Amino acid sequence: MEPAWIVLIVVLILLLVVGLSCIRIVSHQTCQIIEFLGKYQTTWESGLHFKIPLLQRVVMKVSLKEQVGDYPPQAIITKDNVSLMIDTVVYYRVFDAKKFCYGVENPWFALENLTATTLRNFCGKKDLDEALVSRNEINANMEAELDQATSAWGIDITRVEVKDITPPTDVLTAMEKQLKAEREKRASILLAEGQKQSAITRAEGEKQAKVLAAQAEKEAQIEIATGKAESIRIVSQAEADAINRISSANITKEYVALKQLETLTDVGNGQATKLILPTELASSAAGLNYTGEMLGIQSIPSAEKEKPASAPTPKRQPKKSISETEE
C-alpha cells in the first residue's frame, strides 16, 4: 500500500473522530453556553448540536430545573440581644443561563452569602418573641429581597423556608418555665370556669326544682280546696234537702219529743252517773207515760222543787265556869 493511501486513511479517521466529538446532544431541562474564540456566541437548548472544533467551546452546562440550597444554620442576633441559630432552605431555578454564567463568579457561593446577610438584616430588627412567631413574614420578605438581588444573576427565587429557629439553652429553659406557668394559669382559669358553670347549673337546677315543687304544692292545695268546697256544697245541699223534706213532712210535737227521748237513751247507755234533762224534755217525758216508764223518768213534784232549804243548826254555846255562875 502506498504511503498516500495510508495518510488519507489516517486523515479520514481523524476527521471521523473529531466529527464525532463535535456532535453534542443537550438533554431536556439543561442548556450549554457556547463561546466562539473566547467570546459568548450562543446558548444551546435541548437537542442535537454541532460544534466547530478549535473555534467553539462549551463554557458551562446549566441545569434549568428547580434546585434546593440547604445552607448551614446562621447565627442571628435579635433586637433584644438574643443569639439565635436559624436554618433556612432556598428554592431557586435558573431562568437565564447567560446571566448565570457571566453575572457573578461562583453563583452558588454568592447565593449562600446573600441569604445569610439578608436573614441577619431582617431578623435583627425583631425581638425574640416576634422572630419565633413570624416565620411566614420572614419567608415572604426574604423571598422578595433575594429574588430582587439575584435577578441580575439569572436566578429566580421560587421559595424560602425557615426550617428551624434554635434559641440558647438558658432562653429555652426560661421559655419552658414560662410555657409551664402559662399552661398552669390556663388550667386554673378553666377549672374555675368549670366550677362556676357547675355552681350556676346546680343553682338553676335547684331553683327549677323549688319552682316545680311550689307549683305542684299550689296545684295540690287548689285541688284539696276544690274538693273540700265541693264536699261542703254537697253536704249543705243534702242538709238543705233534708230540711226541705222535714218541713214538707208536717212533723208533730210528739214525734220530736220521741226523737229527743231516743237520743237521751243513747246518752244514758254511757258510763256517766248523772243525767241532766231539760225541763221541756222532762215534761214531754211525763206526758208520754209509756216512754217515761221505759226510761225510768218521772216528773219531780213542784212541792219538792220548791221545798226551802233547812234552817242552819245553831252554834253550840260554850259551858260557863262555876265562878262565872256565882257572879
Side-chain angles (χ1 to χ4, degrees):
M1 181 180 292
E2 297 181 358
W5 287 103
I6 295 174
V7 173
L8 180 60
I9 292 172
V10 171
V11 171
L12 291 175
I13 292 174
L14 290 175
L15 290 175
L16 180 61
V17 172
V18 171
L20 291 176
S21 63
C22 291
I23 298 174
R24 293 297 179 92
I25 298 176
V26 181
S27 61
H28 186 64
Q29 285 293 326
T30 57
C31 63
Q32 296 181 1
I33 305 299
I34 305 299
E35 291 182 352
F36 183 79
L37 296 177
K39 185 179 180 180
Y40 171 78
Q41 182 184 19
T42 185
T43 301
W44 285 349
E45 305 292 340
S46 59
L48 180 64
H49 300 274
F50 296 94
K51 182 173 73 68
I52 300 174
L54 303 177
L55 299 178
Q56 289 181 332
R57 182 171 67 95
V58 178
V59 180
M60 182 182 290
K61 296 179 181 180
V62 181
S63 175
L64 301 179
K65 299 176 183 178
E66 186 175 4
Q67 302 180 54
V68 181
D70 190 2
Y71 306 125
Q74 302 295 323
I76 308 298
I77 298 178
T78 61
K79 185 178 179 180
D80 50 353
N81 297 324
V82 178
S83 179
L84 300 177
M85 297 297 293
I86 302 180
D87 190 5
T88 57
V89 179
V90 179
Y91 297 84
Y92 61 91
R93 66 180 183 84
V94 177
F95 70 92
D96 191 336
K98 180 182 177 181
K99 291 182 178 181
F100 183 76
C101 182
Y102 299 103
V104 63
E105 186 71 24
N106 196 349
W108 314 124
F109 181 73
L111 181 59
E112 178 181 353
N113 284 276
L114 181 62
T115 303
T117 55
T118 305
L119 185 62
R120 288 192 182 98
N121 291 335
F122 184 75
C123 293
K125 301 176 183 178
K126 292 184 175 295
D127 297 335
L128 175 62
D129 295 337
E130 294 177 354
L132 292 175
V133 299
S134 59
R135 292 194 178 192
N136 293 332
E137 185 181 355
I138 295 174
N139 297 338
N141 283 272
M142 284 194 61
E143 180 181 348
E145 292 288 337
L146 292 176
D147 189 51
Q148 183 179 0
T150 57
S151 60
W153 303 343
I155 299 175
D156 181 23
I157 305 298
T158 58
R159 188 170 51 179
V160 177
E161 294 291 340
V162 176
K163 188 165 62 173
D164 189 19
I165 300 177
T166 307
T169 306
D170 54 346
V171 175
L172 283 175
T173 304
M175 291 173 61
E176 290 177 358
K177 291 181 179 178
Q178 181 181 2
L179 181 61
K180 182 178 179 181
E182 188 69 24
R183 288 179 178 174
E184 290 178 353
K185 175 183 176 182
R186 273 186 266 174
S188 301
I189 292 174
L190 291 176
L191 180 61
E193 288 290 336
Q195 293 177 352
K196 174 184 176 182
Q197 191 64 32
S198 176
I200 292 173
T201 305
R202 192 182 305 112
E204 288 291 336
E206 293 177 356
K207 174 184 176 182
Q208 293 180 1
K210 290 181 179 179
V211 170
L212 293 176
Q215 290 180 352
E217 185 177 359
K218 174 183 175 182
E219 293 177 359
Q221 293 294 335
I222 291 173
E223 292 295 331
I224 292 172
T226 304
K228 289 182 177 179
E230 185 66 21
S231 175
I232 293 172
R233 188 188 64 80
I234 294 173
V235 172
S236 300
Q237 185 66 36
E239 291 177 354
D241 294 340
I243 292 171
N244 291 331
R245 285 196 297 270
I246 291 172
S247 299
S248 61
N250 296 323
I251 298 175
T252 61
K253 294 180 180 180
E254 290 77 6
Y255 179 77
V256 174
L258 181 60
K259 286 297 182 180
Q260 291 177 350
L261 292 175
E262 289 178 357
T263 303
L264 290 174
T265 303
D266 295 334
V267 173
N269 290 332
Q271 297 180 358
T273 57
K274 293 182 179 181
L275 186 61
I276 300 173
L277 299 178
T279 307
E280 298 84 4
L281 188 58
S283 60
S284 298
L288 298 173
N289 294 326
Y290 62 95
T291 306
E293 293 175 358
M294 291 174 60
L295 296 175
I297 300 173
Q298 295 181 359
S299 60
I300 301 172
S302 58
E304 294 181 1
K305 292 180 183 180
E306 297 178 356
K307 184 178 181 180
S310 58
T313 305
K315 289 185 179 181
R316 185 176 181 181
Q317 298 293 329
K319 295 181 177 180
K320 298 179 178 182
S321 60
I322 299 172
S323 60
E324 292 179 353
T325 305
E326 292 176 355
E327 289 178 359

